[in-house]
Structure formats: structure tokens, C-alpha cells
Amino acid sequence: MDAAISVSGLVKSYGRVRALDGLDLRVDTGEIHGFLGPNGAGKTTTLRVLLGMLRADAGQVRLLDGHPWRDAVRLHRRLAYVPGDVVLWEELTGGETIDLLGRLHGRIDEGRRAELVERFALDPGKKVRGYSKGNRQKVALIAALAARVELLVLDEPTSGLDPLMEAEFRRCLARRRDEGATILLSSHILAEVEALCDRVSIIRQGRLVESGTLAELRHFTWTSVTARLERPLDRLEGVHDLEIDGGTLVRFRVDSGQAGRALVRLAEFGLVDVTAQPATLEELFMRHYRQLPEAVAG
Amino acid sequence: MRAGAWVLVRFIARRDRGLIALWIGVAVALPLFNAYSLAALLPTEETRVAFAGMSAGNPITRALLGPVHGTSIESLVAWRSGVQSLLITGLGGLLFAIRHTRAEEDSGRGELVAARPVGRQAVVTAVTVLVAVVNVAVTALLTVGLSLGFGYPPGGTLLFALTVGAGGMAFAACGLLAAQVCQSAALARGAGVGVLVAGLVPGVVVPESWIGIFPAGWPRLAQAYGAERWWVPLMPLAFAAGLTVAVFVLSSRRDLGAGVLPDRAGFTGPVRGRLGSPLALVWRLRGGQVVGWTVALGTAAAGVGWVSASFELATLTRHTLLAIFTYVFCMVVACLTVAGTLRPYTEESRGRAAPLLAAPTTRARWLGGHTALSLGAPVAMLLAVGLGSGAGNALGTGSVGPLLTQVGAALLFVPAAWAIAGVTIAVYGLRPRVAVPVAWAAVVVSAASVALWEAGTIGDTAFLLTPFGYVHPSISSGFVVPAAFVVVAAALVVAGGAGFARRDLLA
């Protein structure tokens, strides 16, 4: 499949701070790609490099079929962006702001714009000064979603939206994907990522630490098993954190892909009852987000 | 690289239509006003000859405006309006340029625009186009107004207007360059205004034959209604073109939000001192600026004091030179006082006051902390001006006398500065939405009344009611007027505090 975005070995420093330290990233055409990482991992810097606002110090960056810095104007016609921190012109109304951003873009679908204003329940006649955080966010979202583009770059786009609007946003995004658009979504909301994203990339300290589908990521994790047995068990190989309660009630974690062997062994002790739970997304991301002791030392 | 510039031109023109109208209006009105008032004041050739002689003998005006080239009414109007007009078109262009470039980047709106198919030079191009349109309008309106309204010769009028318009372009280009180089809008404004002041007042220290290389020399060199040197407006235009090329080069190379000077490494250790009180926070937020300006003013004043010690140019003695500069420093301190005193408005309107006021901090304590610094800062700055100029002069002349005189002269302005701060605090407390325009308008009106008084349009009594009145080098008032300003300032501060305690917080 074609890559809409391909980044390799990207380095960007601010003074002595190395914000991106050899980052790799690949987003395929037509997918919704989740872009995750703890605060300060370099997500926004990456997006700004992709948008040609920052110049990379080293590494290769390819966006659609061009170079993000040199072909910025040409590429920007084919993409839309919602920044993480939406600041608007206080003295303009929401409608005027959408108009201005639309005219600057040049490829706005007026029908879709009207529909989005309706769906997001935005009052476009009010001055931005009087908008809440969520309403400002809606203005930027509508301006981006109404553009006829093949790539959407969204930096934590749902911050400030209420659950109703968040659901609306998910529907809009799914529809854009079905129409063939590629979406790069930086987000902290795991439910959103799980519901929308085909693949995710997790970065930490300016480097990619994991990339793949959620199923693939789960593959590297574990399953928590609780089982009740007929006959007491004293030991079990190949599992973690084994707890034996009165000999017949056992709890343990087993690496993904290794559950079968453990269950066969349990069956020998007369398996009465078993519940198995895959690692939750929270557990998964916590593991990737948390700084490893050696990383701190290094 | 310039895609989207046209949309931006229309957007900025609409967004700032009021400011642009004001900018053009003031730039056109000032020479017309001078034409009107000087014609009323000097109806005959004899009065004009007398006025020219008097002006040539007045070292202050001579130094700032240059020699009078003719005694026709139009020559006198052009002579008096030249530097004033450059100040207005220059300041307008400079602030406009920074407002739409660096200030937009600072706010984060620049990112919203840069993500659209908008060239890296689109914003700079749009601003240049609008500044050019404004200056062409000023030039055309001035030419039409003076030649049709007052019957001045069209040729000389056009030259005068062209010099003003081209000068405006040059300073706007300075603003654009400052916005590219400096990392923040505040820094860019400071640098830009510094260049403007340096460009317009060197007549006081630079000999007449060299003045042409400074903007202040452009109107003198052009000599509208006199020798009429038509190549002079080309100087500012060439200067503007050169700077604009540099701006285009910079804007196509730098990262969004970055300056040319590299970032300073962030301070990573624990916060110095303890931010245990609102006053401590106010000091942390504003103290650096106050100290910086105090040091800068003191240093500049020391330089002026030292240079003026050995200064003797025609009728311009060292005493008058020192007096003019002390007066100019007082005006600078007045502007800095307004800018600093408006800080609580910025804090509140950006939502940074609310978290403090939601904590067990009373409104009175919060505003009190800001007010303490707003009133203390001008005292420190004026003391620095007095000590600097006095010490510099004492070093140059070898006598200690000037030190005390200068400290006294500078500190005499404290009541006036407090009154200006008082007006700002009062408007902020009572009508916060108009605080910024009203506070600045107060300073502009006060500064304009200096010109009005010098032109004889307003009398001594009216002039003494303004903050710049009683400290004017040509006025010696007793201690009643400064004492009255202290009382007025106190009343205004109390009124502002009372208003702030009662009103809703800004959203």
C-alpha cells in the first residue's frame, strides 16, 4: 500500500533540547492512524515538521508526493489541519472565521460546511470572544472537515468537546475514511483511538517505540487468567505473577500466544472454571508510556 | 511563495479598518491642522519673518526640526510638520507590521494560517501591500488637502507628501524586519520604536551636514517649497526595498515561531525565590522589564549627560540640550508607565487572573501588587534618568552640581507619571474593555498638547492641566501643580480599585 506519510530518522532540536531523536513513522493511504505518546514526547513537533512549519535538522520526510518544507503550499491544498491549541481572532464571529480559513484553503465544500455547522450545533453568528473552549475547537474542526482534502492532520482534536460532540466527531471521521481520506490523529483518549484507528504509532522521547494495529500491539502483551481447579496445583511454568489461593484457585498472567500451554497444564488438574482477559488498552499504553528505569538512567 | 496573500490583504483590511482609518486620518490631519493654525497665527509676511527668526533662535525646535528654509506659509508648515508626520506614519506602519506578523505567530493564530496553502511570504507581502496602500492614500490626501484646501503650490506639496509617505514605508519595513528577527512581538515593538526614535531625534546631536543619512533629515533635505530635491523620497523607498528583501529572505527560511537569534536555553532549576505572594508574582512577571528599562534609560541618560557636557552648537547650549533630553526621557517613561500599568488587564483578559482570584487572594491584594509596581517603576526609571544624566554631565564638566539638579528635574515628573498610571488604573477598574485605547489616548492627547501649546493654540493654563505641562523646559511652575497631580493620581487609583472590587471579571 502507498504511504501518505513516511518519516525516517527525523531529528529536530530546539537549542540543546532534542525534541525528535531519529523518529520513524509510516502512515498508509486511506487509514486512520493514531499518533500517541506521553506529554512532551514530540507529537506536536512531528506534526509541525510534516506541515512545513519547522525545518527538520536531519532525516527523510515524505508527505503525499512531496517535501513538506519545499512543497508546502502545493501539499497544503491537499490537507487540512487542526492545531492542538486553537487560538482564533477574538473579534471575528465563528462563521467569519470558518469563511476566512476556507478562503485561504480554497477547496471548501459549502454543503458539507453547512451540514457540519448543523451537526456540531455551532452558533456561527457569535463572536469568538464569547465561545467556550469546546466551541472554539468546533470552529477549527469544521474548517478542517469541510475542506475537500485527502489528508487530515489532527492534533488532539476533541479536547473540550462534550461526549455528544465527540461521538459526532467520530462519525464524521469514519465517514471521511470511507470516502478515502487518510487521517493522522494525535490523541490521548484511548476509547477514541480504539474506536477509530486502524493502526497506531506510539512515540516516547522523540523516538518511535511501537507501531502496528491494536491487535498486533496486544500481541506483545499478556492475558490475565483466573481459574478454579478440582485438584490443588503447586507450580506452573511459563507464567507470571502466579498466585495460588487454597491450592485450587489460581491467578496468573501469561504472555500472548502462550495461553494454550498453560491451559493444557491446568486441564490436567481438572479445570472447573476459567476467565481470561486480554490486557486492557490502558495497561498496554501505560507500559509504553512509562519511562523505563534504564531510559531514565540513560 | 505568496499564495493566499490576496485573501490576507482583504482580511487584514477588514479586521483593521478602524485602525487604518485612524492611521490615515491622523497622518493627514496633522499637516492640515498645522496649515490652518499657522495661517491663523501668522497672517502676514512680517509675522512669518519674525516667527522664522524666533524659531531659528529657539535651540529646541531648531535641533528637532532643523533650520527654516523659507518664510512663505507653506514652507513653515512643511518645516513644522515634516518630523511629526514621519513619526505618525512611521509609528503606524511599524506597529501595524508587527501586529500582523510576529504578534499573530505569538498568539498561535499564525499556525492556523500557515497550515493552509499560504506561502511563507504571503503574510509579509499582504502587510507590505497594505502599508503601501495606506501611504499612497496619505500622500494623495495630503497633496489634495494642502493644494486644493489651502492653495499651496501642487509641486512642492506633492514632494512634501511623497517624503512623508516614503518615510512611512521605510519604518514599516523596519517593523517587518524586527518582527522576523525578534522572538516576541513585545521585543520587536521595543526594537522598532527604538529605531524610530533614534531615526527622528538625532538632530540634537548630529551636525546639520550629516543629518541626511537619518530619517529626521529627509524632510530637511527635500526642502519642499524651497530647493525641491525630488530625489529625496527615493532614499526612504530604496531603504524600504532593501529591508523588505531581507525580510523576504528571512521569512522563507526560518521556522514558524522562531527568531533569527537562537533560543535561550530554558531555566530548569527550581524557581528562584519563593512565589509566596501576589506581589512576588507581579515582580516575577514584570520585574525583568522594569529593571531592563531602568538600566537602559540610565545608560542612555549617562551618554547624553556626558556628550552634552562638551556641547556647544550655535545657540544650543549644554543646559538646553540636557533639558530637552530629560523631557524626552519623561515622555518615554510615561509610555512605559502606561504599558506596565495595563498588565493587569492583559492578565485578566487572558484568563490568568482568575486562577489567582479563585485561590484565597483578594482582588485588592492582587490589584494592589500590580499597582505597587506600576507606581514604583516610574520612580525607579526617573531616578535612573536623573542619576545617569547627572553623573554623565558631572563627569564631563568636572563639577558635582548637575547631579543634584538632574535628579531633581527627573523626579519632578513622578507626580505626572503617577497621574498617567492613575488614569490607566481607573479606566481598567471601571471600564476594562476600553482600558487600552483610553490609556494610550491619554498619553497621545498629552503629547499632542505639547505641540498645540508650542504652536500657541492652547494657553499656559490648559497646558498645565496635562501631565507634560509643568515639566516642560520652558515652563517653571511652583510645587502646587505637581502636588495637585499627586492628589489626582491618588483619587484615580482609589476609584479604579473600588471599581475593580465591584465589577465582573472579564471572560
Side-chain angles (χ1 to χ4, degrees), chain A residues 12 52 55 69 81 89 96, chain B residues 14 104 111 120 255-256:
Chain A
K12 177 73 192 175
R55 219 206 288 239
W69 180 275
Y81 170 60
W89 297 270
E96 286 173 322
Chain B
R14 215 181 81 79
E104 285 290 279
E111 190 181 357
R120 271 173 231 290
D255 286 350
L256 189 76

Side-chain angles (χ1 to χ4, degrees), chain A residues 271-290:
Chain A
L271 187 54
V272 178
D273 220 358
V274 68
T275 53
Q277 260 186 333
T280 63
L281 267 186
E282 273 84 353
E283 285 170 323
L284 183 70
F285 289 119
M286 289 291 206
R287 200 181 72 160
H288 285 301
Y289 276 30
R290 200 163 287 138

